[in-house]
Amino acid sequence: MAIKKESFGRNPYGEEVDVFTLTNANGLRVRIMTHGATLVSLEVPDRNGKLKDIVLGFETAAEYGPGTPYFGCAVGRFANRIANGRFSLDGKDYQLALNGDGVHALHGGDRGFDKRIWTAEVLEEEKGVRMSYFSPDGEENYPGNLTVTITYTLTDANELKIDYTATTDQATPINLTNHSYFNLAGHDAGAHGAQTMMINADAFVPTDGTGNPLGGFRSVEGTPMDFRTSVAIEQRINDDYDQLQQGSNPGYDHTYCLNKKKAGELSFAARAEDPDSGRVMEVYTTEPGVQFYAGNFLDGTSKGKDGCHYAWRGGFCLETQHYPDSPNRPQFPNTILHPGETFRSQTVHKFSSN
Ligand code: GLA
């Protein structure tokens, strides 16, 4: 496998961006850029071997700016919401930017990890690229100097592995994910509704109309949130169910609590399939949750790669992560990283066809 490095122009802040291409023995190809450690494209074969790019994105680095839908990027320091942008740690109160609908902190703030330049290192032997980012104490009002690495590896078994590490010199909340939007029929194929989804979770985190947890968990049993067996995404997404009929852009946008035998084990999280092309993606993770977001905020205004406009629900995300607002919810799995500890997390996307 060859790893190719090219210039990808400048980001919206005028900084130079590089893009790395990894290709495996079966022709799968993934491109990752240093702006936001972002997955720019991911070409995967269908049942006839025909490659298609199955992640949404822009043509140039310059288009990945504020106000865009977080296409393919790394999200941090804290993915998802922190209620009212507030948390307390070691007796100190912190106020974050309210960049999520004006009420909550969302995805790391005004200029989170998705809008920063990462330092890339090619790992010839492991066949991957390691992206590193140093987030100084006080950046986006988070405490502690945090060093983060994200390693992308493409295996000949058609797996894209994403490994995260982080260390800090002060206690800080941390929740890292990748925000790729998938459409297994191709990034420009339009609504993904006929594609099927399966999520290995008996419960999810119910939220109010602003994405803030109501408190506690809710069983998926007997609700349109139940994806324990494969079902077309569109089949129940518009059902008259409180969790699907709230907020400005209703539909699936929820954290599922993954069934695990042991906390932190790498286990099966989700499986999506496009019945037409036969493309299948399975997701495995060490994280306790996965945010299944159906692309309800996409509205045709984002002009993406190949000149296409991304339709409403034209891509779905499976963001492996901890639960929203964890720093304020002692009953949720811990998201506080302390000095001397190393945060580690892994997510694997496995591609095949039927
Ligand atoms: C996440 C959130 C969504 C939305 C998108 C970005 O998936 O859960 O509500 O903010 O990111 O548009």
Side-chain angles (χ1 to χ4, degrees):
M1 178 174 80
I3 299 173
K4 201 168 76 184
K5 174 183 171 181
E6 290 162 292
S7 165
F8 201 47
R10 286 174 191 271
N11 70 5
Y13 306 95
E15 299 159 326
E16 300 265 4
V17 179
D18 289 326
V19 65
F20 293 81
T21 308
L22 315 184
T23 312
N24 80 357
N26 313 313
L28 260 84
R29 198 155 49 204
V30 53
R31 288 194 306 153
I32 299 141
M33 68 165 163
T34 51
H35 172 75
T38 302
L39 215 77
V40 172
S41 65
L42 175 58
E43 289 163 88
V44 170
D46 67 4
R47 66 166 71 89
N48 300 314
K50 189 166 179 253
L51 286 178
K52 265 213 173 158
D53 180 3
I54 60 156
V55 293
L56 280 54
F58 297 113
E59 272 311 325
T60 65
E63 289 163 280
Y64 284 83
T68 58
Y70 297 89
F71 287 146
C73 58
V75 185
R77 188 178 294 204
F78 198 95
N80 217 320
R81 292 152 184 86
I82 294 182
N84 308 305
R86 259 187 255 139
F87 66 92
S88 302
L89 202 51
D90 294 340
K92 262 182 92 176
D93 296 334
Y94 293 89
Q95 178 67 59
L96 308 169
L98 302 180
N99 62 320
D101 296 329
V103 278
H104 303 304
L106 179 71
H107 293 339
D110 289 329
R111 194 172 173 196
F113 294 179
D114 60 299
K115 298 179 188 72
R116 302 283 175 179
I117 295 290
W118 293 61
T119 304
E121 183 194 345
V122 170
L123 305 174
E124 286 294 349
E125 228 163 89
E126 295 92 331
K127 299 176 177 168
V129 178
R130 178 176 299 139
M131 299 281 182
S132 311
Y133 180 65
F134 173 75
S135 171
D137 178 25
E139 184 181 69
E140 289 292 334
N141 281 354
Y142 285 99
N145 289 300
L146 187 79
T147 302
V148 186
T149 72
I150 305 183
T151 307
Y152 294 91
T153 318
L154 185 63
T155 74
D156 289 337
N158 293 355
E159 297 158 323
L160 175 65
K161 293 191 177 172
I162 313 179
D163 282 277
Y164 302 80
T165 70
T167 52
T168 185
D169 62 1
Q170 268 184 66
T172 180
I174 182 167
N175 192 20
L176 302 175
T177 192
N178 177 275
H179 206 295
S180 289
Y181 287 72
F182 298 94
N183 187 322
L184 299 179
H187 75 97
D188 52 357
H192 57 60
Q195 295 170 32
T196 64
M197 182 60 68
M198 180 178 172
I199 304 175
N200 182 21
D202 295 337
F204 70 102
V205 179
T207 54
D208 67 13
T210 66
N212 189 31
L214 294 176
F217 308 108
R218 198 187 283 183
S219 166
V220 298
E221 181 74 38
T223 79
M225 309 301 285
D226 192 348
F227 284 98
R228 289 173 297 180
T229 52
S230 275
V231 47
I233 298 170
E234 68 191 358
Q235 193 164 309
R236 303 166 306 180
I237 194 169
N238 299 317
D239 275 15
D240 186 14
Y241 178 66
D242 70 324
Q243 289 296 304
L244 293 176
Q245 294 295 339
Q246 59 184 7
S248 48
N249 299 74
Y252 298 111
D253 191 2
H254 293 83
T255 305
Y256 280 79
C257 312
L258 295 169
N259 297 333
K260 282 187 189 284
K261 289 199 188 78
K262 203 172 136 233
E265 69 172 356
L266 181 70
S267 62
F268 172 65
R271 179 185 190 278
E273 178 173 348
D274 173 37
D276 283 343
S277 66
R279 285 191 193 87
V280 174
M281 176 174 74
E282 287 172 333
V283 179
Y284 298 81
T285 190
T286 57
E287 286 293 303
V290 63
Q291 179 88 4
F292 171 40
Y293 167 55
N296 312 306
F297 287 99
L298 297 176
D299 58 5
T301 52
S302 291
K303 186 169 163 287
K305 294 177 280 191
D306 307 323
C308 79
H309 285 264
Y310 292 125
W312 185 50
R313 296 178 179 165
F316 60 83
C317 303
L318 289 167
E319 306 156 48
T320 52
Q321 57 185 265
H322 275 60
Y323 306 160
D325 198 33
S326 292
N328 297 309
R329 315 269 175 171
Q331 71 276 30
F332 287 178
N334 171 55
T335 53
I336 307 300
L337 180 70
H338 294 98
E341 299 169 346
T342 301
F343 169 88
R344 283 182 209 282
S345 159
Q346 184 180 53
T347 294
V348 179
H349 296 261
K350 187 168 173 53
F351 299 96
S352 57
S353 61
N354 254 343

